[in-house]
Amino acid sequence: MTGVPVVDEKPEPKGNAPLGGDNASTARLGDRLFGGAATASGVIVIAMVTLIATFLIVQAVPALLDNQENFLTSRAWNPGGDQPGFGILEFLWTTVVAGAIAMLIAVPFGVAVALFLTQYAPVWMRGPAAALVDLLAAVPSIVYGLWGLITFAPFFRPIQGWIESTFGWFPLLAQTGITGGTILFIAVVLSIMVVPIVTALSREIFAQTPLAHKEGALALGATHWEMIRTTVLPFGRPGVISASMLALGRALGETIAVTFLVSSLPNGAAWTWSLFNGGETFASKIANNAAEFSNPSRTGAYIAAALVLFVLTFVVNSIARIVIERRKAFSE
Amino acid sequence: MAKRIDVTDLNVYYGAFKAVEGVTMTIEPRSVTAFIGPSGCGKSTFLRTLNRMHEVIAGGRVEGKVMLDDQDLYAPRMDPVAVRRTVGMVFQRPNPFPTMSIYDNVAAGLRLNGVKNKKTLDGIVESSLQGANLWAEVKDRLNKPGAGLSGGQQQRLCIARAIAVQPQVLLMDEPCSALDPISTLAIEDLVGELKNEFTIVIVTHNMQQAARVSDRTAFFNLRATGEPGRLVEIADTTKIFNNPSEQATEDYISGRFG
């Protein structure tokens, strides 16, 4: 607990004035102020997360109780009305798969860029290039959406065609007839969007690898890459995991770019495992239908969907925490 | 397996700055050679040229010749990675890999060399830790992090890591300067044992240490601040401490300056 003043309770010898007796040592104003402020911030953050969760649950439960369909396994989406029936399976699938593919692309690529910037690039290039990456991380997502729609989509279409005709026998890559705004396309745009995040944070931690460790590896006869593998990567591992979690959080929750690009499916469209299918993510579904929030029961259905997204990010973050904690003794 | 080092007229530069000038010396195999001298005299810099670690720092380069027996360490086609596998190094501050266990720290160099056989690794890890006088203290916790050991144990772990790859030469850059007297004594005893197998070069600020552990001592100095460091003289340790040839050496070891 911060904010508790440290009191030195050594008894003073009789008759002597206390050392530096300004009566301030037990409760210095600055200590109390900053300690209190830090404690308050911590409490507020926890309270906010709790309140958000409470809000989501309170709003979602009535709608869920009226729900005629299985919320987790149904693909129907007919909220509101007398017989509301809605399930999130399709959004869950699209969100998770698009997020996972985006990570599969973005994390290795982002880490590679970070390694290049910290370990390989000429020194004069490191500063400016790093500033550029940081800038890229701050580009608003609508810009990626526009770029994806106007520039990248026409470029991606023939690639998708080629994959479909070559690997179409594989269920995940089967042809669906949908050419734009497919799950894979969304995933690729998301990955481009989050690479700068992974890079910026990984670069920060890779650059902090102590020279002593790197020299230790080199003195054992490690090549440059072996040195990176034995010192820089393990040292940066917790940071890379944190960076990936932030990036995944953004990818899962990304709204505007996805809403912009995605091909939504008609209600009752046939199920397919293909990544070349369309389909809404949680965020895009909610955003696309914000106009429908006409009554509490309708709204509750969308809030229930948001609750799942909330739980999803919570679970992913917890797993990452556990992974980091388990190796804590091995990270100084 | 210990080798002799012959250095001829070596200059060391960092960029345009000449850090060390005109060093010529012979380092005998199976012996301990100590480098002493005031701070900034280039003894550590020179030490790093013996396994090309100075090249890790941007702009580091040398002129001159370093021969390891009949191999020229600076021959155009010589790979610095190969040099460092032959000439090992222990640093001023203990630097075990923090993400690795004690076992993995010692095995790190072997694994870099492609040794995968568990039995071979087990054997070399044990003999290296024994060689570094650390086995008895850590044999029951080989899978615990190396960074959890005390400073002196960490330094011996680093020595075990260095000798596990069977180098010809072991360079030690002030290996005791971050350690307490007891740990220092343990390292000094170890140096005395290791010289039966390796050629050892040790940089030290502690003249008593040089007198205790070394067979030969080299005294480095610089004429003035900003001038390159140079080798003043190298001779048997007893001669340097009792009857040096140069006045500067005499002044330094008797504490008249520095």
Side-chain angles (χ1 to χ4, degrees), chain A residues 212 215 218-219 221 234 327 330, chain B residues 48 81 84-85 95 98-99 101 143:
Chain A
E215 288 194 334
L218 291 172
R327 292 282 301 175
F330 286 93
Chain B
R48 291 170 73 98
V81 168
R84 292 174 201 143
R85 288 188 180 182
N95 60 347
T99 53
S101 66
N143 292 318

Side-chain angles (χ1 to χ4, degrees), chain A residues 9-21:
Chain A
E9 301 231 299
K10 240 182 217 165
E12 291 295 333
K14 254 194 182 158
N16 283 356
L19 192 61

Side-chain angles (χ1 to χ4, degrees), chain B residues 52-65:
Chain B
R52 299 184 63 167
M53 279 299 287
H54 69 289
E55 291 170 6
V56 173
I57 295 157
R61 64 192 169 87
V62 300
E63 291 167 354
K65 207 167 194 185

Side-chain angles (χ1 to χ4, degrees), chain A residues 123 210-224 226-227 229-231 233-236 327 329-332, chain B residues 48 51 53 56-57 81 84-85 87-89 91 95-101 108-109 112 143-147 161-162 165:
Chain A
V123 174
L211 184 63
H213 299 163
K214 292 159 77 172
E215 288 194 334
L218 291 172
L220 281 179
T223 61
H224 197 88
E226 287 168 339
M227 179 275 283
R229 229 180 47 204
T230 41
T231 61
L233 284 178
F235 180 84
R327 292 282 301 175
F330 286 93
S331 56
E332 270 191 324
Chain B
R48 291 170 73 98
N51 70 344
M53 279 299 287
V56 173
I57 295 157
V81 168
R84 292 174 201 143
R85 288 188 180 182
V87 184
M89 190 161 199
F91 296 85
N95 60 347
F97 301 129
T99 53
M100 291 185 196
S101 66
L112 290 177
N143 292 318
K144 292 271 160 28
R161 181 176 73 186
V165 291

Side-chain angles (χ1 to χ4, degrees), chain B residues 17-18 222 224-228:
Chain B
F17 176 66
K18 194 182 204 178
L222 27 71
T225 333
E227 296 277 306

Side-chain angles (χ1 to χ4, degrees), chain A residues 15 43 154 158 213 217 291 313:
Chain A
V43 170
H213 299 163
T313 47

